[in-house]
Amino acid sequence: MVIFHNLIVSSIGCSCINQFQIEDFFLNNPDSYIEKGVFDYIIISPQSTIDLFKSINRYQQVFEDINNYEILKKKLFHKHFECLYFWHEKYIFNEFDLKKTILNIKKKIANINPVPGMNHLLIWSNIQPNLKIMMEGIGQDYNNFILTEQLYRSLKEQTKLLYGENSRLIFISREQDVQGGLVSNSDVHIIELERSLDFRGEKKLFFNIINSYINQKS
């Protein structure tokens, strides 16, 4: 997540490209700074984002219990959710390492909570070029990452409940990765990004989308 004046710009899934693009947008901007958030570098299905928001009030039970975690294909997986991988948490060789990692996750989870007096711009995307390739490589069903109308409504509902009516949630996807009727919605932005092994996307990929919101607020 990045904090800019009274605005917090943060990812709510599905993958790391959001944080890369948010940081790129604010690069060299002296009025912004990076704050670690749990969504920054994870892989999470939209249903798991919804379930995570619903579990915030009992996060100690959900996220501190070491039995909820498992190493799958060398990646840290949270068994409480449909698909939640802490993709960049590394060097977990034993229980001691895992406990240290869980402490770090706990600190990031705390940053999900809304900050009084701040506006929230939330970005959800399933556009990362290698997302489908990665998920199929670890045995996850990529269909769980398609934005359906039900998931769209639930994500909007949960973000409003958590961050208030003044929060703004925007969606970025390929046309083939959203349910047909959603492509005409003003908060759904279509970028036809080719699938590849890349994970960052090209520079300034989200620039115009984020900039349009910043200009509305200025």
Side-chain angles (χ1 to χ4, degrees):
M1 66 171 63
V2 169
I3 298 176
F4 174 68
H5 297 303
N6 68 333
L7 177 66
I8 297 176
V9 184
S10 58
S11 170
I12 63 164
C14 291
S15 62
C16 316
I17 191 174
N18 290 1
Q19 183 63 17
F20 292 136
Q21 292 293 330
I22 292 168
E23 290 182 16
D24 184 53
F25 179 88
F26 288 103
L27 187 65
N28 300 322
N29 187 320
D31 296 322
S32 67
Y33 63 94
I34 297 170
E35 188 77 36
K36 290 183 178 179
V38 72
F39 286 101
D40 291 350
Y41 301 111
I42 65 174
I43 304 293
I44 183 168
S45 67
Q47 183 59 54
S48 296
T49 292
I50 294 163
D51 294 338
L52 191 154
F53 284 150
K54 289 180 177 179
S55 70
I56 288 300
N57 291 332
R58 53 189 180 90
Y59 78 88
Q60 287 188 335
Q61 173 188 348
V62 173
F63 288 96
E64 290 186 1
D65 187 348
I66 196 170
N67 296 311
N68 282 339
Y69 295 85
E70 184 177 356
I71 305 295
L72 292 177
K73 301 285 182 77
K74 298 183 179 180
K75 301 297 182 182
L76 183 61
F77 177 74
H78 198 295
K79 295 185 288 186
H80 181 82
F81 299 93
E82 174 188 71
C83 181
L84 170 52
Y85 287 86
F86 297 92
W87 203 257
H88 291 265
E89 303 292 349
K90 300 178 180 178
Y91 311 113
I92 304 172
F93 301 113
N94 51 47
E95 186 174 314
F96 176 74
D97 294 336
L98 181 54
K99 286 181 177 179
K100 286 195 301 181
T101 297
I102 291 172
L103 284 176
N104 289 331
I105 291 171
K106 178 184 172 183
K107 293 175 185 177
K108 294 176 185 179
I109 286 288
N111 284 335
I112 290 180
N113 294 315
V115 179
M118 299 292 284
N119 295 314
H120 290 266
L121 172 60
L122 309 161
I123 299 176
W124 182 94
S125 85
N126 57 0
I127 201 172
Q128 186 164 309
N130 68 346
L131 181 60
K132 187 173 189 289
I133 299 167
M134 287 192 306
M135 293 301 93
E136 291 176 347
I138 58 174
Q140 285 285 342
D141 186 355
Y142 183 71
N143 287 324
N144 292 332
F145 290 82
I146 302 298
L147 184 63
T148 65
E149 293 185 7
Q150 180 180 349
L151 290 168
Y152 168 85
R153 289 193 300 270
S154 294
L155 284 165
K156 288 173 70 75
E157 178 185 349
Q158 288 302 314
T159 53
K160 290 296 184 184
L161 285 172
L162 185 58
Y163 296 106
E165 288 299 320
N166 290 329
S167 63
R168 176 79 178 273
L169 170 59
I170 58 177
F171 302 84
I172 304 173
S173 183
R174 299 173 189 81
E175 187 169 350
Q176 69 185 56
D177 290 340
V178 298
Q179 229 168 33
L182 295 174
V183 297
S184 60
N185 290 11
S186 61
D187 54 0
V188 177
H189 302 267
I190 301 299
I191 301 176
E192 296 300 348
L193 190 61
E194 185 178 353
R195 299 195 201 280
S196 70
L197 296 177
D198 181 39
F199 55 91
R200 288 178 177 268
E202 63 192 59
K203 291 280 188 181
K204 308 297 183 184
L205 187 66
F206 291 5
F207 185 89
N208 290 337
I209 297 169
I210 298 175
N211 195 50
S212 65
Y213 179 83
I214 300 291
N215 287 337
Q216 288 176 24
K217 286 294 181 180
S218 61

